[in-house]
């Protein structure tokens, strides 16, 4: 039961280096929020500010309506799972998990009950008297989560908790975290990652951070389908969205854009007559391209330079001027014969995005 | 010949003969003894590789035996003999028995034990506290350099300094010892000859060694503290631990192996302590320690038998701690 409210939160180091500014965010009880962004965007810093490990240098942070800017971490009702697990190496699993309760001077029975409960949830019963060095990576991660559960916090903070695990374990642990969330519908979770698959699969709401601020907040599919700006459009989805420069030549309920490369694109986004002649970037996801057979106006026409066959899909990389990003198309199925050939691409107008000055022209 | 030139020449001859030894021994092994040719080429290579480490180790092993192993054996032999005009006479355990009957020996053993209780503990504790306190300070490194500086002073030099600190002048004269000066300024009735007060004087001598060893402990422990993963400390902060709990329950246990290595290293120094006592009181007024006792017997009384027996006692006391220390340090490295 905890709502978080961030108002104009900012972080400046030494009064000079600004890493975050004007962060406004409302987090409701029971939500799982994921902060994503490229490395160095300040997502971990923001999490650490919520935890109380970094000082908030601007704005206010409220938990349940109470401003906690100057409240020490242990009194904020938060628990944190660190990237490196941060288990106390000299303590057994049991002692690691009971440490916070011991510090809080809880009774022996209460401590034991809390630890046993968390151990059951995470299947750590058998490991309670082991030292961290005797555990595998996945087990250590579970102990780190257990240490958080034992404290019964209002808000769980996860700082890239899966990045030290190998690929198979990462998927398994990701599902465990999702199940854990379902088992505790009243706890709020904030999760930091640079991995968009984690973000898309776990999040109720994703916060994309870029350029010291929030680029967009929304559900995973909102971000995928209606990105507010080019940054989010390219950050979410893999391979990232193709951006093609052009000029509006046919405004109206559907907009016609003449592309620099010679193609014509139609977007379902309506525009005004005054928009005619405006420079825009047309954005199309690789998976939204379809091959145009025979005659007709293509959005893009080019020679397939390189091809990656993944079985379920085939990625086509088209020839590009050196230094420019190649156009990429993702076609379902196997198309091994397309390499070296000239292919025409088109797309459903509803799936054609339009950006002006980096921002979406969707109303 | 000019002495400097002589020195250069000596170094030159020494280094080049060392190089020549390794080069020629290696060549002899490969070309003459086990040449990788003929019917047994493979076997010869294996054999040469088995012998090579020993060839290279030989000079060091030889020197070690000559200067370490042989003296031990010789000391054992001396401790079992008496020196009589014109030679030696087998004495059996007599020297050791005489040792146990000498009250001075027991005094030395008791004092050594007293030193052992006080000095390693206090040096390690001070070193740890200073390392922790200076960790986050902007001028911490300057403070640490100053505290480390006594390490550069020889024990005898430090003893001379502290002899001045504890200096005694008869009442009425100007006190040049800062301890007496402070004592009088704080209302002491008359100047004290500090180094002659039994019990206290041993402690005053220990302060000299603590003053020197604290810097050593601080440097090692400071590095160990820096090696503690920052996230474990942050996790403890989130768990609600206060600074004292973080220090004692999170930091200290994590560097415990290093603390033990520092503690035992200083323990060994203490067991061998000689210079400070020799230079400051020479074992008078109840400050005798084993090493100084040994020196007294060996070189003052010329009783080689008892002196050697005392040396053996010191070695037996140091040995187990030394073995433990080396093992612990090796575990650290792994």
């Amino acid at each position: 039961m905890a709502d978080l409210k961030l108002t104009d939160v900012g972080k400046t180091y030494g009064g000079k280096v600004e890493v975050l500014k004007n962060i406004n965010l409302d987090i409701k009880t029971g939500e799982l929020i994921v902060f994503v962004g490229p490395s160095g965007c300040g997502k971990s810093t923001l999490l650490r500010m919520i935890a109380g490990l970094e000082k908030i240098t601007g704005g206010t942070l409220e938990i349940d309506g109470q401003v906690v800017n100057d409240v020490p971490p242990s009194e904020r009702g938060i628990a944190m799972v660190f990237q490196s697990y941060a288990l106390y190496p000299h303590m057994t699993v049991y002692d690691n998990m009971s440490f916070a309760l011991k510090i809080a001077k809880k009774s022996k029975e209460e401590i034991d009950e809390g630890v046993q409960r968390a151990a059951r949830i995470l299947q750590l019963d058998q490991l309670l008297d082991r030292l961290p060095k005797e555990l595998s990576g996945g087990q250590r991660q579970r102990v780190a989560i257990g240490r958080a559960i034992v404290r019964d916090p209002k808000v769980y903070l996860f700082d890239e908790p899966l990045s030290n695990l190998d690929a198979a374990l990462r998927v398994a642990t990701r599902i465990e975290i999702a199940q854990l969330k379902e088992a505790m519908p009243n706890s709020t979770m904030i999760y930091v990652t640079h991995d968009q698959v984690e973000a898309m699969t776990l999040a109720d709401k994703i916060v994309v951070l870029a350029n010291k601020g929030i680029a967009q907040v929304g559900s995973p599919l909102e971000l995928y389908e209606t990105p507010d700006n080019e940054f989010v459009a390219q950050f979410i989805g893999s391979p990232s969205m193709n951006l093609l420069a052009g000029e509006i030549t046919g405004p109206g309920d559907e907009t016609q854009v003449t592309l620099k490369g010679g193609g014509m694109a139609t977007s379902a986004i309506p525009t005004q007559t005054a928009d005619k002649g405006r420079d825009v970037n047309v954005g199309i996801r690789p998976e939204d391209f379809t091959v145009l057979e025979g005659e007709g106006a293509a959005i893009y026409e080019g020679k397939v330079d390189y091809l990656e066959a993944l079985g379920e899909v085939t990625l086509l990389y088209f020839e590009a001027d050196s230094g420019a990003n190649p156009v990429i198309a993702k076609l379902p199925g196997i198309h091994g014969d397309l390499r070296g050939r000239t292919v025409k691409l088109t797309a459903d107008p509803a799936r054609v995005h339009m950006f002006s000055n980096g921002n979406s022209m969707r109303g | 010949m000019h002495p400097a030139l002589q020195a250069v020449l000596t170094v030159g001859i020494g280094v080049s003969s060392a190089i020549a030894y390794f080069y020629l021994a290696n060549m002899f092994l490969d070309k003459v003894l086990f040449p990788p040719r003929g019917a047994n080429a493979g076997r010869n290579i294996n054999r040469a590789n088995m012998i090579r480490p020993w060839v290279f180790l030989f000079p060091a092993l030889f020197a070690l035996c000559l200067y370490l192993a042989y003296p031990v054996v010789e000391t054992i032999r001396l401790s079992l003999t008496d020196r009589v005009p014109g030679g030696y006479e087998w004495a059996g355990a007599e020297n050791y028995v005489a040792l146990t009957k000498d009250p001075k020996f027991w005094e030395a053993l008791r004092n050594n034990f007293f030193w052992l209780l006080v000095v390693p503990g206090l040096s390690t504790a001070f070193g740890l506290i200073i390392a922790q306190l200076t960790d986050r300070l902007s001028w911490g490194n300057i403070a640490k350099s100053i505290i480390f500086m006594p390490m550069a002073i020889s024990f005898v030099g430090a003893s001379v300094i502290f002899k001045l600190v504890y200096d005694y002048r008869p009442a009425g004269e100007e006190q040049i010892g800062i301890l007496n000066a402070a004592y009088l300024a704080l209302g002491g009735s008359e100047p004290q000859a500090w180094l002659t007060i039994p019990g206290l004087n041993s402690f005053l001598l220990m302060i000299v060694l603590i003053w020197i060893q604290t810097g050593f402990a601080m440097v090692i422990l400071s590095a160990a503290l820096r090696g503690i993963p920052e996230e474990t400390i942050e996790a403890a902060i989130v768990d609600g631990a206060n600074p004292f709990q973080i220090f004692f329950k999170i930091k200290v246990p994590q560097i415990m192996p290093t603390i033990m290595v520092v503690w035992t290293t200083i323990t060994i120094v203490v067991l061998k302590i000689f210079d400070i006592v020799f230079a400051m009181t020479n074992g008078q007024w109840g400050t005798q320690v084993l090493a100084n006792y040994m020196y007294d017997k060996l070189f003052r009384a010329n009783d080689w038998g008892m002196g050697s027996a005392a040396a053996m006692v010191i070695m037996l006391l140091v040995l187990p701690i030394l073995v433990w220390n080396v093992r612990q340090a090796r575990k650290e490295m792994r």
Side-chain angles (χ1 to χ4, degrees):
Chain A
M1 263 136 299
D3 295 342
L4 268 79
K5 191 170 159 68
L6 284 76
T7 313
D8 285 332
V9 167
K11 177 74 187 175
T12 312
Y13 283 107
K16 285 191 260 320
V17 188
E18 192 176 49
V19 289
L20 287 169
K21 62 178 179 191
N22 300 334
I23 305 284
N24 288 294
L25 204 55
D26 259 314
I27 302 173
K28 298 264 172 294
T29 300
E31 277 184 327
L32 198 160
I33 302 289
V34 174
F35 293 169
V36 286
S39 50
C41 72
K43 54 191 190 294
S44 280
T45 307
L46 184 57
L47 189 80
R48 291 165 57 82
M49 283 158 74
I50 294 172
L53 293 170
E54 296 272 358
K55 208 168 162 41
I56 298 171
T57 53
T60 56
L61 166 67
E62 290 168 50
I63 298 181
D64 279 343
Q66 186 204 352
V67 177
V68 295
N69 283 32
D70 296 317
V71 175
S74 56
E75 287 161 32
R76 291 186 182 191
I78 53 108
M80 187 154 171
V81 177
F82 291 86
Q83 182 173 3
S84 66
Y85 322 133
L87 300 182
Y88 310 127
H90 56 289
M91 294 186 194
T92 62
V93 170
Y94 187 96
D95 289 340
N96 262 286
M97 285 164 62
S98 61
F99 185 71
L101 299 183
K102 275 183 195 152
I103 295 285
K105 300 225 160 57
K106 295 268 200 267
S107 76
K108 248 202 162 108
E109 293 75 35
E110 243 177 308
I111 292 174
D112 197 54
E113 196 189 303
V115 173
Q116 297 294 352
R117 183 178 62 93
R120 263 197 312 280
I121 296 174
L122 294 162
Q123 291 146 37
L124 291 167
D125 318 51
Q126 306 300 317
L127 307 173
L128 286 176
D129 49 9
R130 297 237 191 128
L131 287 172
K133 66 177 176 209
E134 297 163 336
L135 302 177
S136 69
Q139 288 168 335
R140 283 180 207 179
Q141 186 55 13
R142 292 220 297 278
V143 175
I145 294 171
R147 200 165 60 178
I149 291 177
V150 165
R151 299 186 53 211
D152 196 19
K154 294 187 279 190
V155 184
Y156 287 85
L157 305 175
F158 292 92
D159 189 6
E160 307 211 17
L162 306 185
S163 56
N164 281 0
L165 301 177
D166 63 50
L169 211 47
R170 203 176 298 169
V171 174
T173 315
R174 197 174 74 209
I175 292 168
E176 270 176 36
I177 290 176
Q179 286 168 342
L180 193 72
K181 178 74 200 62
E182 278 178 19
M184 299 186 293
N186 279 331
S187 35
T188 309
M189 293 189 177
I190 303 177
Y191 190 106
V192 164
T193 182
H194 61 262
D195 181 295
Q196 49 158 305
V197 178
E198 271 172 43
M200 298 294 280
T201 50
L202 286 171
D204 295 321
K205 229 157 70 177
I206 294 180
V207 177
V208 182
L209 292 166
N211 297 327
K212 304 173 185 177
I214 295 178
Q216 190 176 355
V217 183
S219 75
L221 291 183
E222 268 169 39
L223 297 191
Y224 178 80
E225 289 178 332
T226 55
D228 278 352
N229 46 54
E230 286 178 5
F231 179 82
V232 175
Q234 292 212 295
F235 190 76
I236 302 287
S238 172
S240 48
M241 185 185 279
N242 297 295
L243 289 179
L244 305 166
E247 183 186 322
I248 295 179
T249 45
D253 287 347
E254 281 201 334
T255 308
Q256 303 287 328
V257 181
T258 307
L259 298 173
K260 295 246 162 70
M264 278 292 288
T266 309
S267 170
I269 299 170
T271 42
Q272 311 295 322
T273 325
D275 287 327
K276 189 165 178 180
R278 197 159 158 189
D279 284 332
V280 292
N281 275 339
V282 165
I284 301 164
R285 295 199 180 276
E287 54 270 36
D288 291 336
F289 271 131
T290 48
V291 174
L292 179 70
E293 306 281 358
E295 291 305 304
I299 293 175
Y300 183 80
E301 183 175 348
K303 197 169 154 199
V304 179
D305 182 35
Y306 186 70
L307 179 149
E308 284 177 336
L310 303 175
E312 54 166 337
V313 293
T314 302
L315 294 177
L316 308 181
Y317 293 78
F318 289 87
E319 264 183 3
D321 297 338
S322 63
N325 289 328
V327 170
I328 302 171
K330 192 196 250 180
L331 305 178
I334 298 167
H335 301 274
D337 55 335
L338 289 179
R339 185 166 184 184
R341 282 175 46 188
T342 299
V343 174
K344 286 186 190 173
L345 296 172
T346 185
D348 176 3
R351 301 206 157 267
V352 175
H353 307 262
M354 238 173 14
F355 301 97
S356 172
N357 295 325
N359 292 317
S360 177
M361 295 182 73
R362 216 178 295 271
Chain B
M1 207 187 326
H2 193 274
L5 204 63
Q6 221 167 346
V8 169
L9 202 64
T10 315
V11 170
I13 292 170
V15 171
S16 49
S17 52
I19 293 172
Y21 168 78
F22 287 115
Y23 183 76
L24 292 174
N26 196 39
M27 200 160 79
F28 176 73
L29 195 66
D30 279 340
K31 296 274 148 79
V32 183
L33 209 51
F34 295 114
R37 285 187 301 270
N40 294 326
R43 195 198 64 184
N44 279 356
I45 290 174
N46 283 341
R47 285 195 179 168
N49 282 343
M50 239 152 59
I51 293 172
R52 202 183 321 275
W54 296 104
V55 174
F56 283 13
L57 274 177
F58 171 74
L61 284 179
F62 178 75
L64 213 63
C65 288
L66 185 64
Y67 294 110
L68 272 174
Y70 166 70
V72 171
V73 174
E74 179 63 7
T75 307
I76 294 174
R77 191 183 70 81
L78 285 175
S79 76
L80 298 172
T81 55
D82 269 334
R83 198 180 181 211
V84 291
Y88 300 97
E89 181 177 87
W90 178 253
E94 249 174 58
N95 287 318
Y96 291 92
V97 173
L99 215 55
T100 59
K101 286 183 180 150
D102 184 356
K104 259 299 192 192
F105 170 74
W106 289 109
E107 178 196 314
L109 202 62
R110 202 172 50 240
N111 276 335
N112 256 97
F113 185 69
F114 190 28
W115 277 72
L116 219 52
L117 279 184
V118 176
V119 177
L122 283 187
S123 304
T124 311
F126 284 144
L128 185 60
I129 291 167
I130 293 165
Q132 167 70 16
L133 293 181
T134 54
D135 199 28
R136 296 284 163 88
L137 291 179
S138 54
W139 49 276
N141 278 336
I142 296 169
K144 276 196 265 194
S145 310
I146 292 169
I147 292 164
F148 186 68
M149 234 178 269
M151 277 292 281
I153 301 173
S154 75
F155 284 8
V156 174
S159 304
V160 171
I161 294 171
F162 272 82
K163 252 187 131 162
L164 291 172
V165 170
Y166 301 146
D167 195 68
Y168 163 76
R169 293 288 154 94
E173 280 185 41
E174 198 179 350
Q175 297 298 327
I176 64 160
I178 193 157
L179 187 59
N180 265 326
Y183 179 70
L184 291 182
L186 291 173
S189 50
E190 53 184 30
Q192 303 285 321
W194 300 105
L195 290 175
T196 64
I197 305 171
L200 178 69
N201 52 6
S202 275
F203 188 70
L204 293 176
L205 299 190
M206 289 175 207
I207 286 175
V208 182
L209 191 55
I210 294 171
W211 181 68
I212 294 173
Q213 293 294 334
T214 296
F216 162 76
M218 176 201 68
V219 167
I220 310 269
L221 294 173
S222 165
L225 282 176
R226 292 260 165 96
I228 296 175
E230 188 66 23
E231 286 196 333
T232 61
I233 293 158
E234 291 182 340
I237 293 173
V238 173
D239 273 346
N242 65 35
F244 281 99
Q245 289 167 324
I246 289 174
F247 182 67
F248 286 110
K249 294 189 172 169
I250 303 296
K251 286 187 169 181
V252 169
Q254 286 196 62
I255 59 166
M256 209 42 170
T258 312
I259 292 177
M260 290 314 289
V261 167
V262 169
W263 192 85
T264 46
T265 305
I266 299 175
T267 298
I268 292 167
V269 173
V270 168
L271 277 169
K272 298 188 299 181
I273 190 65
F274 166 72
D275 333 37
I276 293 172
V277 177
F278 180 77
M280 290 183 76
T281 62
N282 196 13
Q284 299 173 84
W285 308 296
T287 58
Q288 188 66 295
V289 289
L290 280 173
N292 195 51
Y293 176 83
M294 173 197 85
Y295 181 87
D296 267 356
K297 287 289 173 203
L298 208 54
F299 300 116
R300 287 230 176 80
N302 269 322
D303 188 341
W304 292 16
M306 263 176 94
S308 300
M312 288 312 296
V313 170
I314 297 174
M315 197 182 89
L316 287 179
L317 289 175
V318 171
L319 210 56
I321 303 171
L322 193 68
V323 169
W324 190 87
N325 191 344
V326 169
R327 279 207 186 150
Q328 201 67 20
R330 276 200 187 156
K331 233 197 282 174
E332 278 285 271
M333 265 185 270
R334 246 182 266 134

